[in-house]
Amino acid sequence: MVQRPFLPLFATYVHKFPLALIILLLSGCIATNPRPHRSQELRGLWVATVNNGDWPSRRDLTADQQKQELIGIFDRAAALHLNAIFLQVRPMADAFYPSALEPWSEFLGQPPDYDPLAFAIQEAHARGLELHAWFNPFRGNPTTALRTYPYGRFVWMDPGDEQVRRRALDVITDVVRRYDVDGVHLDDYFYPYPENNGDFPDEPSWQNYRGPLSRDDWRRENINRFVRDLYGSVKAIRPKVEVGISPFGIWRPRHPRQIRGLDAYAKIYADSRLWLQEGWVDYLAPQLYWPIEKREQSFPALLHWWSRQDRLGRGIVAGMTINRVSTGRPNSVPPEEIANQIELVRRERQAVGFILFSAHTLMENRAGIDEVLERAIGERASRPQ
């Protein structure tokens, strides 16, 4: 792919440029990839349920209290001109809806007397919000009957086990068949992030493999096969349901050149660039959780690199964290940082929107983030698209 000679210099010194100059340079780059086909900017909000992160806030809430909390989140999202909710419905081999395949989630407390997913879809659509069902395919719980291993803080199902992959596909396609969801969404958990320098204990499934691949390549192929099968399975049932993944924001260190950090390709066996370039997703939402001026994990440098990988015009969605806005803690950022990141996303040719992590920060209006977002999002959102 041809690029102008100044791009490597830009990638190395991007942290030294003011925002206006960054935007000018990005808009001047040669674009050879087809434009994404999404007609409306995606302005999303992640609503995490694992460990009662965003909703429900406690396990002892009544059904009416759960409903009112969720309505409050949706009302706030709509007021800030967001247009999509990414609701975590399978955080740990469990379900936030009646399921013949998975138990009710412990994070709901007692099994509810209503269908939380059906309620969420109804209330989201009533406010003009898309509802994307967010699944974790391989994190388990102590009651999971499939092949699991304790690793770090969680129980993990083995992606190398065909039954594990099959169960995840069955769970997701069951939701696609039964519910009017707008999308299916996965986050960054495939093989677990390394803890205490310990390798994932999947020796039994590795020993069952008799093919030519190395163990690392075999693990990556397990995930690649799952992603490919997921996309095909969902599209065979409801072609208009979007399939998207939000991987770790760095594919591999030195891509682009100044980037350092975790090697997701080698450590959690996630070849997310391949999924994008093979067309196994409708969008890719890399988690770009770093500030604009952080050189070795530069938000604009990574955003631009990912955009250049979008050779099929699927669309890049920036995963952005608002949970680090100024709170007096180390590594916090001012809320204006988020507004500047949104502007960079809107100037990037292959970008089609952003998703914010996560809902509890909006509900707290931490450091005035809601007012900043309303100004940053509102003008574009109020114009016809």
CSV table of all heavy atoms in Angstrom, one decimal, residues 193-251:
chain,number,residue,atom,x,y,z
A,193,TYR,N,-5.6,-12.9,29.3
A,193,TYR,CA,-4.4,-12.1,29.5
A,193,TYR,C,-3.5,-12.9,30.4
A,193,TYR,O,-3.9,-13.4,31.4
A,193,TYR,CB,-4.7,-10.7,30.0
A,193,TYR,CG,-5.3,-9.8,28.9
A,193,TYR,CD1,-6.7,-9.8,28.7
A,193,TYR,CD2,-4.5,-9.0,28.2
A,193,TYR,CE1,-7.2,-8.9,27.8
A,193,TYR,CE2,-5.0,-8.1,27.3
A,193,TYR,CZ,-6.4,-8.1,27.0
A,193,TYR,OH,-6.9,-7.3,26.1
A,194,PRO,N,-2.2,-12.9,30.1
A,194,PRO,CA,-1.2,-13.6,31.0
A,194,PRO,C,-1.2,-13.0,32.4
A,194,PRO,O,-1.2,-11.8,32.6
A,194,PRO,CB,0.1,-13.4,30.3
A,194,PRO,CG,-0.2,-13.0,28.9
A,194,PRO,CD,-1.5,-12.3,28.9
A,195,GLU,N,-1.2,-13.9,33.4
A,195,GLU,CA,-1.1,-13.5,34.8
A,195,GLU,C,0.1,-14.3,35.5
A,195,GLU,O,0.2,-15.5,35.3
A,195,GLU,CB,-2.4,-13.7,35.5
A,195,GLU,CG,-3.5,-12.9,35.0
A,195,GLU,CD,-4.7,-12.8,36.0
A,195,GLU,OE1,-4.4,-12.9,37.2
A,195,GLU,OE2,-5.8,-12.7,35.5
A,196,ASN,N,0.9,-13.6,36.2
A,196,ASN,CA,2.0,-14.2,36.9
A,196,ASN,C,2.9,-15.0,36.1
A,196,ASN,O,3.5,-16.0,36.5
A,196,ASN,CB,1.5,-15.0,38.1
A,196,ASN,CG,0.6,-14.2,39.0
A,196,ASN,OD1,1.0,-13.1,39.4
A,196,ASN,ND2,-0.5,-14.8,39.5
A,197,ASN,N,3.1,-14.6,34.8
A,197,ASN,CA,3.9,-15.3,33.8
A,197,ASN,C,3.5,-16.8,33.7
A,197,ASN,O,4.4,-17.6,33.2
A,197,ASN,CB,5.4,-15.2,34.3
A,197,ASN,CG,5.9,-13.8,34.3
A,197,ASN,OD1,5.6,-13.1,33.3
A,197,ASN,ND2,6.6,-13.4,35.3
A,198,GLY,N,2.3,-17.1,34.0
A,198,GLY,CA,1.9,-18.5,33.8
A,198,GLY,C,1.2,-18.8,32.5
A,198,GLY,O,0.5,-17.9,32.0
A,199,ASP,N,1.5,-19.9,31.8
A,199,ASP,CA,0.9,-20.2,30.6
A,199,ASP,C,-0.5,-20.8,30.8
A,199,ASP,O,-0.8,-21.4,31.9
A,199,ASP,CB,1.8,-21.3,29.8
A,199,ASP,CG,1.4,-21.4,28.4
A,199,ASP,OD1,0.7,-20.5,27.8
A,199,ASP,OD2,1.7,-22.5,27.8
A,200,PHE,N,-1.4,-20.6,29.8
A,200,PHE,CA,-2.7,-21.1,29.9
A,200,PHE,C,-2.7,-22.7,30.0
A,200,PHE,O,-2.0,-23.3,29.1
A,200,PHE,CB,-3.5,-20.6,28.8
A,200,PHE,CG,-5.0,-21.0,28.8
A,200,PHE,CD1,-5.8,-20.6,29.9
A,200,PHE,CD2,-5.6,-21.8,27.9
A,200,PHE,CE1,-7.1,-20.9,29.9
A,200,PHE,CE2,-6.9,-22.2,27.9
A,200,PHE,CZ,-7.7,-21.7,29.0
A,201,PRO,N,-3.3,-23.3,31.0
A,201,PRO,CA,-3.1,-24.7,31.2
A,201,PRO,C,-4.0,-25.6,30.3
A,201,PRO,O,-4.9,-26.4,30.7
A,201,PRO,CB,-3.5,-24.9,32.6
A,201,PRO,CG,-4.5,-23.9,32.9
A,201,PRO,CD,-4.1,-22.7,32.0
A,202,ASP,N,-3.8,-25.5,29.0
A,202,ASP,CA,-4.7,-26.2,28.0
A,202,ASP,C,-4.0,-27.5,27.5
A,202,ASP,O,-4.2,-27.9,26.3
A,202,ASP,CB,-5.1,-25.3,26.9
A,202,ASP,CG,-3.9,-24.7,26.1
A,202,ASP,OD1,-2.8,-24.9,26.5
A,202,ASP,OD2,-4.2,-24.0,25.1
A,203,GLU,N,-3.2,-28.1,28.3
A,203,GLU,CA,-2.4,-29.3,27.8
A,203,GLU,C,-3.3,-30.4,27.3
A,203,GLU,O,-3.0,-31.0,26.2
A,203,GLU,CB,-1.6,-29.8,29.0
A,203,GLU,CG,-0.6,-30.9,28.5
A,203,GLU,CD,0.5,-30.4,27.7
A,203,GLU,OE1,0.8,-29.1,27.6
A,203,GLU,OE2,1.2,-31.2,27.0
A,204,PRO,N,-4.5,-30.7,27.9
A,204,PRO,CA,-5.3,-31.8,27.4
A,204,PRO,C,-5.8,-31.6,25.9
A,204,PRO,O,-5.7,-32.5,25.1
A,204,PRO,CB,-6.5,-31.9,28.3
A,204,PRO,CG,-5.9,-31.3,29.6
A,204,PRO,CD,-5.0,-30.3,29.2
A,205,SER,N,-6.3,-30.4,25.6
A,205,SER,CA,-6.8,-30.1,24.3
A,205,SER,C,-5.6,-30.0,23.3
A,205,SER,O,-5.7,-30.4,22.1
A,205,SER,CB,-7.6,-28.8,24.2
A,205,SER,OG,-6.9,-27.7,24.7
A,206,TRP,N,-4.4,-29.5,23.7
A,206,TRP,CA,-3.3,-29.4,22.9
A,206,TRP,C,-2.8,-30.9,22.5
A,206,TRP,O,-2.5,-31.1,21.4
A,206,TRP,CB,-2.2,-28.6,23.5
A,206,TRP,CG,-0.8,-28.8,22.9
A,206,TRP,CD1,0.3,-29.3,23.5
A,206,TRP,CD2,-0.4,-28.4,21.6
A,206,TRP,NE1,1.4,-29.3,22.6
A,206,TRP,CE2,0.9,-28.8,21.4
A,206,TRP,CE3,-1.1,-27.9,20.5
A,206,TRP,CZ2,1.6,-28.5,20.2
A,206,TRP,CZ3,-0.4,-27.7,19.3
A,206,TRP,CH2,0.9,-28.0,19.2
A,207,GLN,N,-2.8,-31.7,23.5
A,207,GLN,CA,-2.4,-33.1,23.2
A,207,GLN,C,-3.4,-33.8,22.3
A,207,GLN,O,-3.0,-34.8,21.6
A,207,GLN,CB,-2.3,-33.9,24.5
A,207,GLN,CG,-1.1,-33.4,25.4
A,207,GLN,CD,0.2,-33.6,24.7
A,207,GLN,OE1,0.5,-34.5,23.9
A,207,GLN,NE2,1.2,-32.7,25.0
A,208,ASN,N,-4.6,-33.4,22.2
A,208,ASN,CA,-5.6,-34.0,21.3
A,208,ASN,C,-5.4,-33.6,19.9
A,208,ASN,O,-5.9,-34.2,18.9
A,208,ASN,CB,-7.0,-33.7,21.7
A,208,ASN,CG,-7.4,-34.4,23.0
A,208,ASN,OD1,-6.9,-35.5,23.3
A,208,ASN,ND2,-8.4,-33.9,23.7
A,209,TYR,N,-4.6,-32.5,19.7
A,209,TYR,CA,-4.4,-31.9,18.4
A,209,TYR,C,-3.3,-32.7,17.7
A,209,TYR,O,-2.2,-33.0,18.3
A,209,TYR,CB,-4.0,-30.5,18.4
A,209,TYR,CG,-3.6,-29.8,17.1
A,209,TYR,CD1,-4.5,-29.7,16.1
A,209,TYR,CD2,-2.3,-29.4,16.9
A,209,TYR,CE1,-4.1,-29.1,14.9
A,209,TYR,CE2,-1.9,-28.9,15.7
A,209,TYR,CZ,-2.8,-28.7,14.7
A,209,TYR,OH,-2.4,-28.2,13.5
A,210,ARG,N,-3.5,-33.1,16.5
A,210,ARG,CA,-2.5,-33.9,15.8
A,210,ARG,C,-2.0,-33.2,14.4
A,210,ARG,O,-1.5,-33.9,13.6
A,210,ARG,CB,-3.0,-35.3,15.5
A,210,ARG,CG,-3.3,-36.1,16.7
A,210,ARG,CD,-2.0,-36.5,17.4
A,210,ARG,NE,-2.2,-37.4,18.6
A,210,ARG,CZ,-2.4,-37.0,19.8
A,210,ARG,NH1,-2.4,-35.7,20.1
A,210,ARG,NH2,-2.6,-37.8,20.8
A,211,GLY,N,-2.2,-31.9,14.3
A,211,GLY,CA,-1.9,-31.3,13.1
A,211,GLY,C,-0.5,-30.7,13.0
A,211,GLY,O,0.3,-30.9,13.9
A,212,PRO,N,-0.2,-29.9,12.0
A,212,PRO,CA,1.1,-29.4,11.7
A,212,PRO,C,1.4,-28.1,12.4
A,212,PRO,O,2.6,-27.7,12.4
A,212,PRO,CB,1.1,-29.2,10.2
A,212,PRO,CG,-0.3,-28.8,9.9
A,212,PRO,CD,-1.1,-29.7,10.8
A,213,LEU,N,0.5,-27.4,13.1
A,213,LEU,CA,0.7,-26.1,13.6
A,213,LEU,C,1.5,-26.2,14.9
A,213,LEU,O,1.4,-27.1,15.7
A,213,LEU,CB,-0.6,-25.4,13.9
A,213,LEU,CG,-1.5,-25.2,12.6
A,213,LEU,CD1,-2.9,-24.5,13.1
A,213,LEU,CD2,-0.8,-24.3,11.6
A,214,SER,N,2.2,-25.1,15.2
A,214,SER,CA,2.8,-24.9,16.5
A,214,SER,C,1.7,-24.6,17.5
A,214,SER,O,0.6,-24.3,17.1
A,214,SER,CB,3.8,-23.8,16.5
A,214,SER,OG,3.1,-22.5,16.3
A,215,ARG,N,2.1,-24.7,18.8
A,215,ARG,CA,1.0,-24.5,19.8
A,215,ARG,C,0.5,-23.1,19.7
A,215,ARG,O,-0.7,-22.9,19.8
A,215,ARG,CB,1.6,-24.7,21.2
A,215,ARG,CG,0.5,-24.8,22.3
A,215,ARG,CD,1.1,-25.4,23.5
A,215,ARG,NE,0.1,-25.6,24.6
A,215,ARG,CZ,0.3,-26.4,25.6
A,215,ARG,NH1,1.5,-26.9,25.8
A,215,ARG,NH2,-0.6,-26.5,26.5
A,216,ASP,N,1.3,-22.1,19.5
A,216,ASP,CA,0.8,-20.7,19.4
A,216,ASP,C,-0.1,-20.5,18.1
A,216,ASP,O,-1.1,-19.9,18.2
A,216,ASP,CB,2.0,-19.7,19.3
A,216,ASP,CG,2.7,-19.5,20.6
A,216,ASP,OD1,2.2,-20.1,21.6
A,216,ASP,OD2,3.7,-18.7,20.7
A,217,ASP,N,0.4,-21.1,17.0
A,217,ASP,CA,-0.5,-21.0,15.8
A,217,ASP,C,-1.8,-21.7,16.0
A,217,ASP,O,-2.8,-21.3,15.4
A,217,ASP,CB,0.3,-21.5,14.6
A,217,ASP,CG,1.4,-20.5,14.2
A,217,ASP,OD1,1.3,-19.3,14.5
A,217,ASP,OD2,2.4,-21.0,13.5
A,218,TRP,N,-1.7,-22.9,16.7
A,218,TRP,CA,-2.9,-23.6,16.9
A,218,TRP,C,-3.9,-22.8,17.8
A,218,TRP,O,-5.1,-22.8,17.5
A,218,TRP,CB,-2.5,-24.9,17.6
A,218,TRP,CG,-3.7,-25.7,18.2
A,218,TRP,CD1,-4.6,-26.5,17.6
A,218,TRP,CD2,-4.0,-25.8,19.6
A,218,TRP,NE1,-5.5,-27.0,18.5
A,218,TRP,CE2,-5.1,-26.6,19.8
A,218,TRP,CE3,-3.4,-25.2,20.8
A,218,TRP,CZ2,-5.7,-26.9,21.0
A,218,TRP,CZ3,-4.0,-25.6,22.0
A,218,TRP,CH2,-5.1,-26.4,22.1
A,219,ARG,N,-3.4,-22.2,18.8
A,219,ARG,CA,-4.3,-21.3,19.6
A,219,ARG,C,-4.9,-20.2,18.8
A,219,ARG,O,-6.1,-19.9,18.8
A,219,ARG,CB,-3.5,-20.7,20.8
A,219,ARG,CG,-3.2,-21.8,21.9
A,219,ARG,CD,-2.3,-21.2,22.9
A,219,ARG,NE,-2.2,-22.0,24.1
A,219,ARG,CZ,-1.3,-21.8,25.1
A,219,ARG,NH1,-0.5,-20.8,25.0
A,219,ARG,NH2,-1.2,-22.7,26.1
A,220,ARG,N,-4.1,-19.5,17.9
A,220,ARG,CA,-4.7,-18.5,17.1
A,220,ARG,C,-5.7,-19.0,16.1
A,220,ARG,O,-6.7,-18.4,15.9
A,220,ARG,CB,-3.5,-17.8,16.3
A,220,ARG,CG,-3.0,-16.6,17.0
A,220,ARG,CD,-2.0,-15.8,16.2
A,220,ARG,NE,-0.8,-16.6,16.0
A,220,ARG,CZ,0.3,-16.7,16.8
A,220,ARG,NH1,0.3,-16.0,17.9
A,220,ARG,NH2,1.3,-17.4,16.5
A,221,GLU,N,-5.4,-20.2,15.6
A,221,GLU,CA,-6.4,-20.8,14.6
A,221,GLU,C,-7.7,-21.2,15.3
A,221,GLU,O,-8.8,-21.1,14.7
A,221,GLU,CB,-5.8,-22.0,13.9
A,221,GLU,CG,-6.7,-22.7,12.9
A,221,GLU,CD,-7.1,-21.7,11.8
A,221,GLU,OE1,-6.5,-20.7,11.5
A,221,GLU,OE2,-8.2,-22.0,11.3
A,222,ASN,N,-7.6,-21.6,16.6
A,222,ASN,CA,-8.9,-21.8,17.3
A,222,ASN,C,-9.8,-20.6,17.4
A,222,ASN,O,-11.0,-20.6,17.2
A,222,ASN,CB,-8.6,-22.3,18.8
A,222,ASN,CG,-7.9,-23.7,18.8
A,222,ASN,OD1,-8.2,-24.5,17.9
A,222,ASN,ND2,-7.1,-23.9,19.8
A,223,ILE,N,-9.1,-19.4,17.6
A,223,ILE,CA,-9.9,-18.2,17.7
A,223,ILE,C,-10.3,-17.7,16.3
A,223,ILE,O,-11.5,-17.3,16.1
A,223,ILE,CB,-9.0,-17.1,18.4
A,223,ILE,CG1,-8.6,-17.5,19.8
A,223,ILE,CG2,-9.8,-15.8,18.5
A,223,ILE,CD1,-9.8,-17.9,20.7
A,224,ASN,N,-9.4,-17.9,15.3
A,224,ASN,CA,-9.8,-17.5,14.0
A,224,ASN,C,-11.0,-18.3,13.5
A,224,ASN,O,-11.9,-17.7,12.9
A,224,ASN,CB,-8.6,-17.7,13.0
A,224,ASN,CG,-7.5,-16.8,13.3
A,224,ASN,OD1,-7.6,-15.7,13.9
A,224,ASN,ND2,-6.3,-17.2,12.8
A,225,ARG,N,-11.0,-19.6,13.8
A,225,ARG,CA,-12.1,-20.4,13.3
A,225,ARG,C,-13.4,-20.0,14.0
A,225,ARG,O,-14.5,-20.0,13.4
A,225,ARG,CB,-11.8,-21.9,13.7
A,225,ARG,CG,-12.8,-22.9,13.1
A,225,ARG,CD,-12.5,-24.3,13.6
A,225,ARG,NE,-11.0,-24.6,13.5
A,225,ARG,CZ,-10.4,-25.5,14.2
A,225,ARG,NH1,-11.0,-26.2,15.1
A,225,ARG,NH2,-9.1,-25.7,14.0
A,226,PHE,N,-13.3,-19.7,15.3
A,226,PHE,CA,-14.5,-19.3,16.0
A,226,PHE,C,-15.1,-18.0,15.4
A,226,PHE,O,-16.3,-17.8,15.2
A,226,PHE,CB,-14.2,-19.1,17.5
A,226,PHE,CG,-15.3,-18.5,18.3
A,226,PHE,CD1,-16.4,-19.3,18.6
A,226,PHE,CD2,-15.3,-17.1,18.6
A,226,PHE,CE1,-17.5,-18.7,19.3
A,226,PHE,CE2,-16.4,-16.6,19.3
A,226,PHE,CZ,-17.5,-17.4,19.7
A,227,VAL,N,-14.2,-17.0,15.2
A,227,VAL,CA,-14.7,-15.7,14.6
A,227,VAL,C,-15.3,-15.9,13.3
A,227,VAL,O,-16.4,-15.4,13.0
A,227,VAL,CB,-13.5,-14.7,14.6
A,227,VAL,CG1,-13.9,-13.4,13.8
A,227,VAL,CG2,-13.0,-14.4,16.0
A,228,ARG,N,-14.6,-16.7,12.4
A,228,ARG,CA,-15.2,-17.0,11.1
A,228,ARG,C,-16.5,-17.7,11.2
A,228,ARG,O,-17.5,-17.3,10.5
A,228,ARG,CB,-14.2,-17.8,10.3
A,228,ARG,CG,-14.6,-18.1,8.9
A,228,ARG,CD,-13.7,-19.1,8.2
A,228,ARG,NE,-13.6,-20.4,8.8
A,228,ARG,CZ,-12.5,-20.9,9.3
A,228,ARG,NH1,-11.3,-20.3,9.2
A,228,ARG,NH2,-12.5,-22.1,9.9
A,229,ASP,N,-16.6,-18.7,12.0
A,229,ASP,CA,-17.9,-19.4,12.1
A,229,ASP,C,-19.0,-18.5,12.8
A,229,ASP,O,-20.2,-18.6,12.4
A,229,ASP,CB,-17.7,-20.6,13.0
A,229,ASP,CG,-16.8,-21.7,12.3
A,229,ASP,OD1,-16.6,-21.6,11.1
A,229,ASP,OD2,-16.4,-22.6,13.0
A,230,LEU,N,-18.6,-17.7,13.7
A,230,LEU,CA,-19.6,-16.8,14.3
A,230,LEU,C,-20.2,-15.8,13.2
A,230,LEU,O,-21.4,-15.7,13.2
A,230,LEU,CB,-18.9,-15.9,15.4
A,230,LEU,CG,-19.8,-14.8,15.9
A,230,LEU,CD1,-21.0,-15.3,16.7
A,230,LEU,CD2,-18.9,-13.9,16.9
A,231,TYR,N,-19.4,-15.2,12.4
A,231,TYR,CA,-19.9,-14.3,11.4
A,231,TYR,C,-20.8,-15.0,10.4
A,231,TYR,O,-21.9,-14.6,10.2
A,231,TYR,CB,-18.7,-13.7,10.6
A,231,TYR,CG,-19.1,-12.5,9.7
A,231,TYR,CD1,-19.4,-11.3,10.3
A,231,TYR,CD2,-19.3,-12.7,8.4
A,231,TYR,CE1,-19.8,-10.2,9.5
A,231,TYR,CE2,-19.7,-11.7,7.6
A,231,TYR,CZ,-19.9,-10.4,8.1
A,231,TYR,OH,-20.4,-9.4,7.3
A,232,GLY,N,-20.4,-16.2,10.0
A,232,GLY,CA,-21.2,-16.9,9.0
A,232,GLY,C,-22.5,-17.4,9.6
A,232,GLY,O,-23.6,-17.3,9.0
A,233,SER,N,-22.5,-17.8,10.9
A,233,SER,CA,-23.7,-18.3,11.6
A,233,SER,C,-24.7,-17.2,11.8
A,233,SER,O,-25.9,-17.4,11.6
A,233,SER,CB,-23.3,-19.0,12.9
A,233,SER,OG,-22.5,-20.1,12.7
A,234,VAL,N,-24.3,-16.1,12.2
A,234,VAL,CA,-25.2,-14.9,12.5
A,234,VAL,C,-25.8,-14.5,11.2
A,234,VAL,O,-27.0,-14.3,11.1
A,234,VAL,CB,-24.5,-13.8,13.2
A,234,VAL,CG1,-25.4,-12.5,13.2
A,234,VAL,CG2,-24.1,-14.2,14.6
A,235,LYS,N,-25.0,-14.3,10.1
A,235,LYS,CA,-25.5,-13.8,8.9
A,235,LYS,C,-26.5,-14.8,8.2
A,235,LYS,O,-27.4,-14.4,7.5
A,235,LYS,CB,-24.3,-13.5,7.9
A,235,LYS,CG,-23.4,-12.4,8.4
A,235,LYS,CD,-24.2,-11.1,8.5
A,235,LYS,CE,-23.3,-10.0,9.0
A,235,LYS,NZ,-24.1,-8.7,9.1
A,236,ALA,N,-26.3,-16.1,8.5
A,236,ALA,CA,-27.2,-17.1,7.9
A,236,ALA,C,-28.6,-17.0,8.5
A,236,ALA,O,-29.6,-17.4,7.9
A,236,ALA,CB,-26.7,-18.5,8.1
A,237,ILE,N,-28.7,-16.5,9.8
A,237,ILE,CA,-30.0,-16.4,10.5
A,237,ILE,C,-30.6,-15.0,10.2
A,237,ILE,O,-31.8,-14.9,9.8
A,237,ILE,CB,-29.7,-16.6,12.0
A,237,ILE,CG1,-29.2,-18.0,12.3
A,237,ILE,CG2,-31.1,-16.4,12.7
A,237,ILE,CD1,-28.7,-18.1,13.7
A,238,ARG,N,-29.8,-13.9,10.4
A,238,ARG,CA,-30.4,-12.6,10.2
A,238,ARG,C,-29.3,-11.7,9.6
A,238,ARG,O,-28.4,-11.2,10.3
A,238,ARG,CB,-30.9,-12.0,11.5
A,238,ARG,CG,-32.1,-12.6,12.1
A,238,ARG,CD,-32.6,-12.0,13.4
A,238,ARG,NE,-32.8,-10.6,13.2
A,238,ARG,CZ,-32.8,-9.7,14.2
A,238,ARG,NH1,-32.5,-10.1,15.4
A,238,ARG,NH2,-33.0,-8.4,14.0
A,239,PRO,N,-29.3,-11.6,8.3
A,239,PRO,CA,-28.1,-10.9,7.6
A,239,PRO,C,-27.9,-9.5,8.1
A,239,PRO,O,-26.8,-8.9,8.0
A,239,PRO,CB,-28.5,-11.0,6.2
A,239,PRO,CG,-29.4,-12.2,6.1
A,239,PRO,CD,-30.2,-12.2,7.3
A,240,LYS,N,-29.0,-8.8,8.6
A,240,LYS,CA,-28.8,-7.4,8.9
A,240,LYS,C,-28.3,-7.2,10.3
A,240,LYS,O,-28.0,-6.0,10.7
A,240,LYS,CB,-30.2,-6.7,8.8
A,240,LYS,CG,-30.7,-6.6,7.3
A,240,LYS,CD,-31.9,-5.8,7.2
A,240,LYS,CE,-32.4,-5.6,5.8
A,240,LYS,NZ,-33.6,-4.8,5.6
A,241,VAL,N,-28.1,-8.2,11.1
A,241,VAL,CA,-27.5,-8.1,12.4
A,241,VAL,C,-26.0,-7.8,12.3
A,241,VAL,O,-25.3,-8.6,11.6
A,241,VAL,CB,-27.8,-9.3,13.3
A,241,VAL,CG1,-27.0,-9.3,14.6
A,241,VAL,CG2,-29.3,-9.4,13.6
A,242,GLU,N,-25.5,-6.8,12.9
A,242,GLU,CA,-24.1,-6.5,12.8
A,242,GLU,C,-23.3,-7.4,13.7
A,242,GLU,O,-23.7,-7.7,14.8
A,242,GLU,CB,-23.8,-5.0,13.1
A,242,GLU,CG,-24.2,-4.0,12.1
A,242,GLU,CD,-23.6,-2.7,12.3
A,242,GLU,OE1,-23.8,-2.1,13.5
A,242,GLU,OE2,-23.0,-2.1,11.4
A,243,VAL,N,-22.1,-7.8,13.2
A,243,VAL,CA,-21.2,-8.6,14.0
A,243,VAL,C,-19.9,-7.7,14.2
A,243,VAL,O,-19.3,-7.3,13.2
A,243,VAL,CB,-20.9,-9.9,13.4
A,243,VAL,CG1,-19.8,-10.7,14.2
A,243,VAL,CG2,-22.1,-10.7,13.2
A,244,GLY,N,-19.6,-7.4,15.4
A,244,GLY,CA,-18.4,-6.6,15.7
A,244,GLY,C,-17.6,-7.1,16.8
A,244,GLY,O,-18.1,-7.8,17.7
A,245,ILE,N,-16.3,-6.8,16.8
A,245,ILE,CA,-15.4,-7.2,17.9
A,245,ILE,C,-14.6,-6.0,18.3
A,245,ILE,O,-14.2,-5.2,17.5
A,245,ILE,CB,-14.5,-8.3,17.4
A,245,ILE,CG1,-15.3,-9.6,17.0
A,245,ILE,CG2,-13.5,-8.7,18.5
A,245,ILE,CD1,-14.5,-10.7,16.5
A,246,SER,N,-14.4,-5.9,19.6
A,246,SER,CA,-13.5,-4.8,20.2
A,246,SER,C,-12.3,-5.4,20.8
A,246,SER,O,-12.2,-5.7,22.0
A,246,SER,CB,-14.3,-4.1,21.3
A,246,SER,OG,-13.6,-3.0,21.8
A,247,PRO,N,-11.2,-5.6,20.0
A,247,PRO,CA,-10.0,-6.2,20.5
A,247,PRO,C,-9.1,-5.2,21.2
A,247,PRO,O,-9.4,-4.0,21.2
A,247,PRO,CB,-9.3,-6.7,19.2
A,247,PRO,CG,-9.7,-5.6,18.2
A,247,PRO,CD,-11.2,-5.3,18.6
A,248,PHE,N,-8.1,-5.8,21.9
A,248,PHE,CA,-7.1,-4.9,22.5
A,248,PHE,C,-6.6,-4.0,21.4
A,248,PHE,O,-6.4,-4.3,20.2
A,248,PHE,CB,-6.0,-5.8,23.0
A,248,PHE,CG,-4.9,-5.0,23.8
A,248,PHE,CD1,-5.1,-4.5,25.0
A,248,PHE,CD2,-3.6,-4.9,23.2
A,248,PHE,CE1,-4.2,-3.8,25.7
A,248,PHE,CE2,-2.6,-4.2,23.9
A,248,PHE,CZ,-2.9,-3.6,25.1
A,249,GLY,N,-6.3,-2.7,21.8
A,249,GLY,CA,-6.0,-1.7,20.8
A,249,GLY,C,-4.7,-1.8,20.0
A,249,GLY,O,-4.5,-1.2,19.0
A,250,ILE,N,-3.8,-2.6,20.5
A,250,ILE,CA,-2.5,-2.9,19.8
A,250,ILE,C,-2.5,-4.3,19.2
A,250,ILE,O,-2.6,-5.3,19.9
A,250,ILE,CB,-1.3,-2.7,20.8
A,250,ILE,CG1,-1.3,-1.3,21.4
A,250,ILE,CG2,0.0,-3.1,20.1
A,250,ILE,CD1,-0.2,-1.2,22.5
A,251,TRP,N,-2.4,-4.3,17.9
A,251,TRP,CA,-2.4,-5.7,17.3
A,251,TRP,C,-1.1,-6.3,17.6
A,251,TRP,O,-1.0,-7.4,18.2
A,251,TRP,CB,-2.5,-5.5,15.7
A,251,TRP,CG,-2.3,-6.8,15.0
A,251,TRP,CD1,-3.1,-7.9,15.0
A,251,TRP,CD2,-1.3,-7.1,14.0
A,251,TRP,NE1,-2.7,-8.9,14.2
A,251,TRP,CE2,-1.5,-8.4,13.6
A,251,TRP,CE3,-0.2,-6.4,13.6
A,251,TRP,CZ2,-0.7,-9.0,12.6
A,251,TRP,CZ3,0.6,-7.0,12.6
A,251,TRP,CH2,0.4,-8.3,12.2
